[in-house]
């Protein structure tokens, strides 16, 4: 029997969900799950490189997540800081371009500095682009894009009418292709205010697997499911 060929999407994005539940099932604090989740990011990044995926983005921390307990937020930010510092040499070695998108105004200066340094060091890398959405909201992204368009038109003395193309070109992801495939782990079937504009024609894949258990085999299953989809973008 001939094995079906897997279609490789250009951009895969992942809503990483289930870290807290994974830790609770093991009698551990939520941060234990977040730490194990970092290993899943590493595994999925390696897999994306192996498969020739050009863009891998992950939803690390939403604008709504700022409402979580302060202790958990601090632990998450420290984890992010350590992970970036540790992974930067590997990004360089493997030609990975690292990017962070979101509202940086609520991040600590130390974390912003670490992010800026890693992005600057890897900005000329031509391999996989690994994009982390941090302190991000889909609604925030659309609003900031609309404000940019209006401000520019007012500066030029033009009528502040807005087109879909103008919104698209002013989003924080304006130079990144819209996702082909969105994966959400842990069984939840919603996108939680994530890339609302950009995922209008994205294929969704929901899995019961908790994020710390989502590794290469689970990623391959998502790609296999994607390969069976027919993307028509509203056409016949």
């Amino acid at each position: 029997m001939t094995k079906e060929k897997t279609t490789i999407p250009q951009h895969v994005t992942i809503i990483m969900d289930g870290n807290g539940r994974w830790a609770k099932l093991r009698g551990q604090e939520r941060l234990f799950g977040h730490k194990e989740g970092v290993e899943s990011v590493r595994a999925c990044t390696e897999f994306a490189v192996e498969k020739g995926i050009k863009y891998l983005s992950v939803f690390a921390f939403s604008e709504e997540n700022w409402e979580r307990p302060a202790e958990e937020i601090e632990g998450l930010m420290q984890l992010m800081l350590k992970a970036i510092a540790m992974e930067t040499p590997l990004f360089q070695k493997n030609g990975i371009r690292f990017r962070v998108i979101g509202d940086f105004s609520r991040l600590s200066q130390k974390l912003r500095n670490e992010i800026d340094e890693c992005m600057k060091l890897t900005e000329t890398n031509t391999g996989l682009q690994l994009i982390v959405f941090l302190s991000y909201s889909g609604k925030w992204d659309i609003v900031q894009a609309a404000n940019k368009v209006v401000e520019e038109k007012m500066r030029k003395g033009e009528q502040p009418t807005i087109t879909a193309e103008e919104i698209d070109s002013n989003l924080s992801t304006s130079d990144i292709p819209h996702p082909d495939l969105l994966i959400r782990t842990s069984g939840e079937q919603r996108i939680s205010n994530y890339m609302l504009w950009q995922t209008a024609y994205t294929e969704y894949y929901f899995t019961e697997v908790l994020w710390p258990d989502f590794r290469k085999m689970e990623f391959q299953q998502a790609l296999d499911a994607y390969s069976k989809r027919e993307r028509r973008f509203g056409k016949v």
Side-chain angles (χ1 to χ4, degrees):
M1 184 188 298
T2 303
K3 189 176 180 181
E4 290 185 10
K5 186 178 180 181
T6 301
T7 303
I8 302 301
Q10 181 178 211
H11 180 184
V12 177
T13 192
I14 305 175
I15 299 177
M16 307 179 293
D17 197 14
N19 291 339
R21 274 169 281 173
W22 187 89
K24 188 176 180 180
L25 287 169
R26 289 156 179 78
Q28 299 285 343
E29 296 294 326
R30 290 175 59 85
L31 195 60
F32 180 72
H34 294 308
K35 288 177 180 177
E36 190 63 26
V38 172
E39 296 302 317
S40 290
V41 174
R42 183 179 293 115
C44 288
T45 301
E46 290 176 358
F47 185 78
V49 171
E50 291 168 10
K51 289 293 180 178
I53 294 168
K54 295 180 180 179
Y55 300 84
L56 175 65
S57 58
V58 295
F59 196 15
F61 193 85
S62 72
E63 190 176 74
E64 292 79 11
N65 288 156
W66 288 108
E67 301 300 319
R68 290 185 177 185
E71 185 178 348
E72 182 178 353
I73 292 172
E74 178 60 24
L76 277 166
M77 294 304 160
Q78 288 299 321
L79 188 61
M80 177 68 67
L81 191 65
K82 291 177 183 177
I84 294 171
M86 186 168 63
E87 297 299 324
T88 298
L90 292 174
F91 294 155
Q92 286 291 73
K93 180 182 177 181
N94 295 303
I96 295 170
R97 183 181 177 187
F98 177 75
R99 301 174 68 177
V100 178
I101 290 175
D103 181 1
F104 284 17
S105 67
R106 300 181 73 172
L107 304 181
S108 70
Q109 189 60 54
K110 188 173 183 180
L111 180 53
R112 277 187 275 177
N113 290 345
E114 193 70 44
I115 289 169
D116 288 342
E117 183 178 354
C118 185
M119 289 200 295
K120 186 174 181 179
L121 284 171
T122 64
E123 66 182 352
T124 59
N125 289 349
T126 57
L128 172 76
Q129 287 201 31
L130 175 61
I131 305 141
V132 176
F133 285 82
L134 182 64
S135 188
Y136 176 84
S137 151
K139 292 179 181 179
W140 162 83
D141 205 356
I142 295 168
V143 169
Q144 67 85 29
N147 284 334
K148 283 183 183 178
V149 177
V150 170
E151 288 168 9
E152 180 65 14
K153 292 197 172 191
M154 289 180 70
R155 187 181 67 81
K156 294 179 178 178
E158 299 174 357
Q159 289 294 320
T161 54
I162 302 174
T163 66
E165 291 74 21
E166 287 169 333
I167 291 287
D168 204 57
S169 63
N170 281 279
L171 291 168
S172 61
T173 57
S174 60
D175 62 336
I176 299 168
H178 291 179
D180 300 295
L181 172 64
L182 181 150
I183 300 167
R184 181 165 187 155
T185 59
S186 88
E188 303 294 348
Q189 297 189 21
R190 57 180 182 271
I191 59 171
S192 300
N193 195 12
Y194 178 53
M195 282 206 279
L196 300 176
W197 183 282
Q198 298 92 326
T199 57
Y201 276 100
T202 296
E203 295 294 325
Y204 292 176
Y205 176 84
F206 300 109
T207 174
E208 296 288 334
V209 177
L210 301 177
W211 176 244
D213 290 327
F214 190 92
R215 301 296 168 94
K216 294 184 179 183
M217 183 179 75
E218 290 74 24
F219 203 156
Q220 182 62 61
Q221 290 171 350
L223 293 184
D224 290 343
Y226 173 81
S227 295
K228 296 174 183 176
R229 310 277 181 90
E230 184 181 353
R231 305 187 73 202
R232 296 189 296 272
F233 299 94
K235 303 171 185 176
V236 176

